[in-house]
Amino acid sequence: MLKKFKLKTFGCQMNVYDSQKISNIFYKLGYKNTSIDKEADIYIINTCHIRDKAKQKLYSELGKIYKIRKNRFQNNKNTITIVAGCVAQAEGEEIFKRVPFVDIIVGSQSYQKLPNLIKKIQNKNKEKNKQLIELDFDPKSKFDDLPKEKYINEVSSYLTIQEGCDKFCKFCVVPYTRGPEYSRTVEEIVSEAKFLIKNGTKEIILLGQNVSAYHGIGFGNKEFNLGKLIYVLAKIKGLKRIRYMTAHPKDMHEDLYNAHRDLEKLMPFVHLPIQSGSNKILKAMNRNYTAEEYLKIINKIKKCRRDIVFSSDFIVGYPGETKEDFQKTIDVIDKVEYVQSFSFIYSPRPGTMAYNLKNALEDDEKKNRLKILQNKLRFYQEKFNKNFVKKSLKVLFSNSSNKKKYQSLGYSEYMQLVRINNKRNMQGKIENIKIKKSFYKSLEASPIT
């Protein structure tokens, strides 16, 4: 009987990309994917460590797996449990101490070593101590040795071009869980992009922990920044849309601004986190820019393309944040009018420079500030979406379900989720459609006759 694996992914888009590559490893080993827990001979959790809540999801999931393993063992079936990703990288052997039945811990730069780790575990199956751990930082080896094939065709595909970060923001675990900045070569990226497009991809989302710091070696052994890379990708036949995330304000550059000005394929939506509108808090976070400098960047991009819109990340209640500091964040939101956002109460992460900072702010006050901030952000997102009612938008449809009639889901150029009930399958098509209703996080289009 064909062995089966189940892979559960927590966290960011880069984890989604990594999970696709991990799946490819198991397909090559002869495993079949399953969505049913009790069927899984191997259970992998690809983890996120950006906030404490994300870490706790891992241990909650492992509690469920314990019961599944126990039932399978009673039926003479063994289960290999693997913890992968950023929590694996950060916590290491502490996971074994807390959850002794975990078999393999593999960090975010070592997925390519899974086949060898699994083979060792299977050979040691009769031994009591059969735990293995691999936490090396070796992104070049990771990208060189991971399977090149992509088994699941998607209309919109992620493509990691850069990993790690050298910024060392005081609240952030990325430098410790993903390592220093590493950029893939232009040739590698173009090759993967062409493969994706050949297999049905119309939109590519370029990923990096700090994607705007991309500095890969390109043609003529010259260094290419993100802007120059996008110019190269835009020439690929069949590629209709390009996006990128997540950018750091300090690494925005002229070639990238010009790409927004010149390239129709580069979508008018930029995720550019500010975190706080207070210069005092930005300095405390080690973000290395001021609110004024950030707003100048926003205005510079707007001059390149008038219809461009922005999303951002916000941290509320960072140690030392006063009411005045918080109000400055609200002021930035009013100036930019973000159309999407991610916002959270500050979560101390072990190992970061901010972990031991004292925070006198009461939990109720943090929650109240987050509520005020999210209400403000919601107002601008709803306002933006309402603006498109009775107007037309170009939508790339990535998903269709065939029940009595098709319901297709897609995204506009501005990253708005759009639904349409239509008599034909829209998957993979870019259509100019009329919007009839708007909601907080989505739009509904009129059927195409």
Side-chain angles (χ1 to χ4, degrees):
M1 184 185 288
L2 192 66
K3 295 221 168 192
K4 297 179 180 179
F5 75 95
K6 177 163 184 183
L7 173 57
K8 190 142 191 178
T9 305
F10 297 128
C12 66
Q13 293 86 352
M14 292 188 76
N15 271 16
V16 174
Y17 175 87
D18 284 345
S19 287
Q20 290 169 345
K21 296 296 185 182
I22 292 170
S23 294
N24 289 343
I25 288 171
F26 284 99
Y27 294 137
K28 281 214 157 190
L29 292 174
Y31 285 79
K32 182 182 177 183
N33 190 15
T34 180
S35 60
I36 302 168
D37 290 353
K38 64 183 180 181
E39 289 185 355
D41 301 290
I42 296 184
Y43 203 112
I44 315 104
I45 310 173
N46 193 8
T47 60
C48 174
H49 197 58
I50 203 74
R51 289 177 300 281
D52 187 60
K53 189 176 179 182
K55 185 180 82 171
Q56 293 311 318
K57 280 184 181 179
L58 164 65
Y59 292 107
S60 174
E61 193 67 23
L62 287 171
K64 296 175 192 174
I65 295 171
Y66 175 75
K67 295 176 184 176
I68 295 162
R69 281 176 63 108
K70 194 174 178 181
N71 289 334
R72 281 174 57 86
F73 184 76
Q74 289 168 353
N75 289 290
N76 297 313
K77 294 179 180 178
N78 289 321
T79 310
I80 295 173
T81 305
I82 301 171
V83 176
C86 293
V87 176
Q89 194 76 50
E91 301 275 309
E93 293 194 5
E94 287 300 313
I95 297 170
F96 286 145
K97 292 176 185 176
R98 187 165 170 178
V99 190
F101 69 78
V102 169
D103 299 294
I104 296 172
I105 294 171
V106 59
S108 49
Q109 304 288 13
S110 302
Y111 301 133
Q112 74 279 12
K113 298 178 182 178
L114 276 170
N116 190 42
L117 293 169
I118 291 163
K119 188 177 180 181
K120 283 184 179 178
I121 284 290
Q122 290 169 335
N123 289 340
K124 294 171 73 178
N125 215 20
K126 293 180 181 178
E127 298 178 26
K128 287 184 180 178
N129 183 17
K130 57 165 192 160
Q131 295 173 321
L132 296 174
I133 185 167
E134 182 58 70
L135 301 176
D136 283 353
F137 280 121
D138 193 359
K140 186 178 188 308
S141 171
K142 170 183 169 179
F143 287 110
D144 285 349
D145 296 339
L146 282 171
K148 300 293 187 275
E149 294 85 354
K150 182 176 171 65
Y151 288 82
I152 302 169
N153 296 333
E154 294 175 342
V155 173
S156 180
S157 294
Y158 295 127
L159 202 173
T160 294
I161 65 168
Q162 181 271 345
E163 285 209 10
C165 187
D166 297 340
K167 292 291 183 287
F168 288 93
C169 300
K170 291 186 179 179
F171 58 81
C172 186
V173 296
V174 167
Y176 312 102
T177 60
R178 291 275 181 171
E181 289 177 358
Y182 170 81
S183 295
R184 300 175 70 189
T185 67
V186 173
E187 185 180 3
E188 281 179 77
I189 294 162
V190 169
S191 176
E192 187 168 342
K194 285 181 176 178
F195 184 86
L196 293 171
I197 293 157
K198 186 179 177 182
N199 286 273
T201 291
K202 302 288 174 64
E203 173 182 81
I204 286 176
I205 303 169
L206 305 173
L207 298 180
Q209 263 88 31
N210 182 8
V211 73
S212 50
Y214 173 81
H215 56 279
I217 298 300
F219 314 116
N221 209 33
K222 293 179 181 177
E223 189 172 280
F224 277 57
N225 58 31
L226 177 61
K228 288 178 180 176
L229 173 67
I230 291 172
Y231 274 100
V232 172
L233 293 172
K235 293 176 182 176
I236 300 175
K237 265 190 175 181
L239 179 58
K240 304 297 183 184
R241 290 183 169 186
I242 302 170
R243 301 184 190 274
Y244 62 87
M245 65 186 309
T246 293
H248 191 290
K250 283 295 287 183
D251 292 310
M252 299 299 284
H253 50 270
E254 288 299 324
D255 288 319
L256 189 52
Y257 299 142
N258 293 339
H260 278 291
R261 181 194 65 201
D262 298 338
L263 301 175
E264 192 178 339
K265 288 184 181 182
L266 183 55
M267 293 296 96
F269 175 91
V270 177
H271 183 65
L272 191 64
I274 186 171
Q275 306 298 356
S276 172
S278 161
N279 290 340
K280 182 190 88 179
I281 297 300
L282 288 171
K283 186 175 181 180
M285 289 177 168
N286 195 36
R287 291 293 284 177
N288 290 313
Y289 56 80
T290 64
E292 292 76 18
E293 287 167 341
Y294 175 89
L295 290 171
K296 280 182 182 177
I297 294 166
I298 293 286
N299 290 331
K300 195 162 188 175
I301 304 171
K302 281 183 176 179
K303 285 179 181 177
C304 295
R305 182 160 177 172
R306 291 179 63 189
D307 66 332
I308 206 156
V309 294
F310 299 90
S311 68
S312 186
D313 296 344
F314 298 92
I315 294 173
V316 172
Y318 190 79
E321 183 187 81
T322 63
K323 286 183 179 179
E324 291 76 18
D325 295 321
F326 176 68
Q327 183 57 48
K328 287 175 182 177
T329 301
I330 298 297
D331 292 342
V332 168
I333 293 169
D334 284 332
K335 287 172 183 173
V336 180
E337 300 190 6
Y338 298 97
V339 302
Q340 289 183 29
S341 61
F342 300 93
S343 52
F344 308 95
I345 291 172
Y346 168 68
S347 178
R349 311 309 301 125
T352 62
M353 289 181 277
Y355 182 63
N356 292 317
L357 292 178
K358 291 181 180 179
N359 196 342
L361 208 59
E362 296 290 333
D363 286 346
D364 285 347
E365 177 60 20
K366 293 177 194 173
K367 289 174 185 176
N368 184 53
R369 288 183 189 179
L370 182 65
K371 186 177 178 182
I372 292 167
L373 179 130
Q374 289 180 337
N375 284 340
K376 175 69 75 172
L377 291 164
R378 178 171 181 149
F379 169 78
Y380 285 117
Q381 189 166 346
E382 286 181 334
K383 176 186 172 185
F384 181 71
N385 286 344
K386 282 177 186 175
N387 184 53
F388 290 96
V389 175
K390 297 182 180 179
K391 295 179 183 177
S392 291
L393 273 172
K394 281 185 180 177
V395 178
L396 171 60
F397 288 97
S398 55
N399 185 40
S400 290
S401 58
N402 191 2
K403 297 176 183 176
K404 288 184 180 178
K405 56 184 176 179
Y406 281 104
Q407 183 186 65
S408 294
L409 304 177
Y411 284 89
S412 75
E413 294 172 291
Y414 309 106
M415 210 61 184
Q416 298 149 297
L417 176 63
V418 181
R419 293 182 176 86
I420 185 170
N421 291 317
N422 216 51
K423 291 181 179 178
R424 62 188 174 95
N425 188 343
M426 308 282 285
Q427 190 164 353
K429 294 179 172 63
I430 296 177
E431 298 279 358
N432 200 33
I433 58 172
K434 194 171 184 180
I435 304 301
K436 69 174 183 178
K437 287 183 184 177
S438 74
F439 306 95
Y440 167 33
K441 289 190 174 180
S442 65
L443 299 170
E444 185 178 326
S446 302
I448 299 174
T449 54

